[in-house]
Amino acid sequence: MVDEIEPPGGSRVVVAGDWHGNTVWAMHVIERTAALGIDTIIQLGDLGVLWPGDVGNTFTFKLQRHLAKHGVRLVFVDGNHDNHIALRALPRDSGGFGVVRTKAKGGGRLELIRWAPRGHRWAWPRTDGVLVRFGALGGAFSIDYHHRTVGRNWWPGIEEVQAEDLSALGPDPLDVLLAHDCPTGAVPASTMVIDYDDDLRSQRSRDLLRTAVDATRPRLVFAGHWHQRSVCELEHDGAHPTVVHMMGMDGQRGNWAVLDLETLQVG
């Protein structure tokens, strides 16, 4: 077992939406992150590491090398378009994160990418010692499954949010919930035409995410999946609202934003 990742070196982290194995875009965000003096990226699924075949392995290798070059590390939750079998087989560090390993140039290995399994919790301290509590709840349904092949680019049965994922997360309060899909009540406008039965199946994950939000009452939820940048609030009886930030996809201006751990402000 390897050591747990250290907290961020400063009070800010970058939060990014889907990258879909896009090497050029991933490198762009890493470079912008480093230029801002930030050493941690949180990515919200459909990352594309460990994808079956040479393309996915090449992306993983290049991503690790670019992170190392710029002194940045990456934590991600799984999306629907991620290799769920490979992720669940990853070795875990002492903090419970899955460790993505690749060989370093000139020998050794790189371990700058960590997967946050569904239901995983961790906390990073602010400068005053107060802990910012994070929870991970990745997963979603692939509405494009008609064009996918089981085991090659689609993993039915495990790609969606499950009731046991909520049990693993538990009801204790959170400050930030990291998801791939968005909770019911925060679905952005969409121009896509979706089959009725497929939409019902998609809704199951969103309903489970909303149950998790209502139980843990996070200040913030971050999600991708919908490929657009939007912000909304979910109200709770007798408690602060939850602000839901939907992030755009690779190539879009709204793909990433900066989260200040001191204030939980997003900019």
Side-chain angles (χ1 to χ4, degrees), residues 33-242:
T33 298
L36 291 169
I38 298 172
D39 69 359
T40 301
I41 298 172
I42 296 172
Q43 199 276 337
L44 302 168
D46 285 9
L47 175 59
V49 296
L50 305 175
W51 200 253
D54 290 337
V55 174
N57 292 331
T58 300
F59 173 69
T60 306
F61 175 73
K62 289 183 176 180
L63 183 61
Q64 291 265 37
R65 285 187 59 184
H66 215 64
L67 289 165
K69 177 182 177 180
H70 291 278
V72 177
R73 58 15 180 344
L74 183 145
V75 176
F76 74 103
V77 300
D78 52 294
N80 51 307
H81 296 158
D82 279 308
N83 187 344
H84 298 278
I85 300 299
L87 293 182
R88 295 182 184 205
L90 288 173
R92 303 294 176 92
D93 66 17
S94 58
F97 291 95
V99 183
V100 179
R101 292 170 168 158
T102 56
K103 292 183 179 179
K105 188 176 182 179
R109 63 188 182 195
L110 297 173
E111 298 178 344
L112 293 169
I113 304 173
R114 294 292 204 278
W115 169 55
R118 297 180 203 173
H120 187 54
R121 286 173 171 260
W122 72 97
W124 284 332
R126 305 187 320 199
T127 56
D128 60 4
V130 173
L131 295 176
V132 180
R133 302 159 296 181
F134 287 85
L137 206 58
F141 173 66
S142 295
I143 59 172
D144 62 348
Y145 68 93
H146 299 286
H147 308 290
R148 294 182 172 269
T149 302
V150 174
R152 190 171 72 185
N153 52 20
W154 180 40
W155 290 268
I158 57 176
E159 65 171 9
E160 301 166 61
V161 183
Q162 308 290 332
E164 53 264 33
D165 301 331
L166 269 68
S167 297
L169 182 69
D172 292 341
L174 289 171
D175 297 303
V176 183
L177 178 63
L178 305 170
H180 181 64
D181 205 345
C182 66
T184 296
V187 179
S190 176
T191 58
M192 295 182 64
V193 178
I194 304 173
D195 178 83
Y196 177 75
D197 290 336
D198 291 345
D199 190 44
L200 286 179
R201 188 168 176 182
S202 298
Q203 186 63 41
R204 295 175 198 165
S205 288
R206 295 193 290 271
D207 287 345
L208 288 169
L209 285 166
R210 181 56 188 264
T211 298
V213 169
D214 289 340
T216 60
R217 306 290 177 96
R219 293 280 182 179
L220 299 173
V221 172
F222 289 97
H225 190 55
W226 288 78
H227 301 172
Q228 57 181 288
R229 183 75 171 98
S230 66
V231 182
C232 74
E233 288 190 354
L234 298 177
E235 299 292 336
H236 306 291
D237 292 338
H240 59 80
T242 294

Side-chain angles (χ1 to χ4, degrees), residues 16-22 25-26 29 43 46-47 63 74 250 255:
D18 303 17
W19 284 356
H20 301 119
N22 185 333
W25 184 256
V29 179
Q43 199 276 337
D46 285 9
L47 175 59
L63 183 61
L74 183 145
D250 52 297
N255 174 250

